Amino acid sequence: MPGFANWTLDEQKRFCFGLACDVIELWGLGTSHLSWLGYSSNAVLMVSASRGTYVLRLHLPGRVRAEYLSSELTWLQYLRLNTELLAPAPIPLQADAADVFFASLRPARLAPDVVLCSLFEYIKGESKPARELSADDVHAVGLYLGALHRQGQFEPSAGFMRPRMDWEGLFGQESPYAARDAIITLTAEQADTFEQVGKRVRNAMATIDRGPEAFGLIHGDLLAKNILLCNHQLVALDFEYCGWGYFLYDLAPLLWQLKGERPDDYGQLEEAMWSGYTSKTGLDERMRAHLEAFIAARQLASCRWLLANAGHPTLREIAPKLLEDRTSELRDFLETGVLKRKSLTL
């Protein structure tokens, strides 16, 4: 994406906003008003139209493959049609093409690169930061994940393609967290720490059978910001990182976040999530011994995400120090077997 990575935040957002104004017409919603919801690895905007309210997501070049996006949207459609789980339904491009859920654009300023665009229903609900989640809230997250791992599995068609969240999928060259044009060079100590943590994670994963009780489609990124409470029901948002993985890994993102933001009552919150999850899955209590390694896997994945996104305008200044802090926490994990966090959660 020539030049784009060097644009200021305002320049990038203006470009994305203009692109959103053009692409939303493809869904034929009529006059629409756009407002920002977020901008990190993707641009996300709210669309207010006469037909309703929606969420538009722009995947900038290099962020996702078309077949991966198509498969994410296929799974979301399955969840809404075949389970009682709440997640944003993808909106077809046209009424007579109900299986076409995204558009591809080639903006002249980014040529020859492609921007992929998808539209979702907007679900109104209450969002809480991690510091405000109650034990009941976290228990509800465990219930949701347990139901997702049991009710949300299906036999996909031959064209279905999502990343794997096993060891190779998280830390290999084809990982969605891989840094292909990293602007930060790891020190020898950082690289060694990553390698040693990776070995610890790999060993933990090797002890778990990949049968349907332990491995399948997972959300992959259920942080507090991706959770809504709507009419006493939990809604999971942003399935961008969904894929084939160990079910235990799906518990890791929120627990990882709570370790950093709720150290005083973390034990109670972990117990609440585990209780909710196992009430739906009947998972053997002995599996809990591996949970810490999966939380460390999330920390290592977050470091790789930082390397891949260090050029983003909001990260350029803080990424090197944040990477240093998280690596230090991983070194402590290697010594104690417990990940303790103080570093910033983005």
Side-chain angles (χ1 to χ4, degrees), residues 29 45-47 49 51-56 91 119-122:
L29 300 179
L45 300 99
M46 181 185 293
V47 181
R51 286 171 46 186
T53 305
Y54 307 90
V55 174
L56 177 68
I91 307 299
L119 189 71
F120 303 86
E121 69 171 324
Y122 173 77

Side-chain angles (χ1 to χ4, degrees), residues 4 39 73 94 102 113 122 135 139 158 256 270 317 320 341:
F4 185 84
Y39 179 49
L73 303 179
Q94 302 170 12
F102 70 95
D113 291 315
Y122 173 77
H139 184 267
W256 170 83
E270 181 188 305
E317 297 298 323
R341 292 194 58 233

Side-chain angles (χ1 to χ4, degrees), residues 144-159:
Y144 186 98
L145 288 174
L148 181 70
H149 298 163
R150 292 297 179 261
Q151 301 173 24
Q153 307 303 305
F154 76 121
E155 291 293 332
S157 64

Side-chain angles (χ1 to χ4, degrees), residues 189-217:
E189 183 180 35
Q190 287 173 329
D192 180 68
T193 299
F194 287 8
E195 181 179 358
Q196 295 304 316
V197 173
K199 288 179 180 178
R200 187 79 63 88
V201 171
R202 192 169 205 164
N203 290 337
M205 289 181 173
T207 66
I208 301 175
D209 179 59
R210 285 200 184 188
E213 296 300 309
F215 193 94
L217 282 169

Side-chain angles (χ1 to χ4, degrees), residues 206-283:
T207 66
I208 301 175
D209 179 59
R210 285 200 184 188
E213 296 300 309
F215 193 94
L217 282 169
I218 63 175
H219 181 283
D221 195 33
L222 201 58
L223 298 166
K225 66 180 180 180
N226 293 330
I227 297 167
L228 284 180
L229 296 175
C230 175
N231 296 326
H232 307 291
Q233 278 190 281
L234 188 138
V235 184
L237 306 176
D238 195 356
F239 280 66
E240 177 190 358
Y241 287 99
C242 70
W244 301 100
Y246 292 94
F247 292 148
L248 274 182
Y249 184 75
D250 236 1
L251 279 65
L254 184 58
L255 291 178
W256 170 83
Q257 185 176 16
L258 292 171
K259 273 180 172 284
E261 300 186 37
R262 300 283 291 278
D264 293 340
D265 59 348
Y266 172 78
Q268 177 188 0
L269 296 171
E270 181 188 305
E271 180 63 38
M273 179 183 282
W274 186 258
S275 174
Y277 184 71
T278 54
S279 72
K280 289 289 187 180
T281 63
L283 192 67

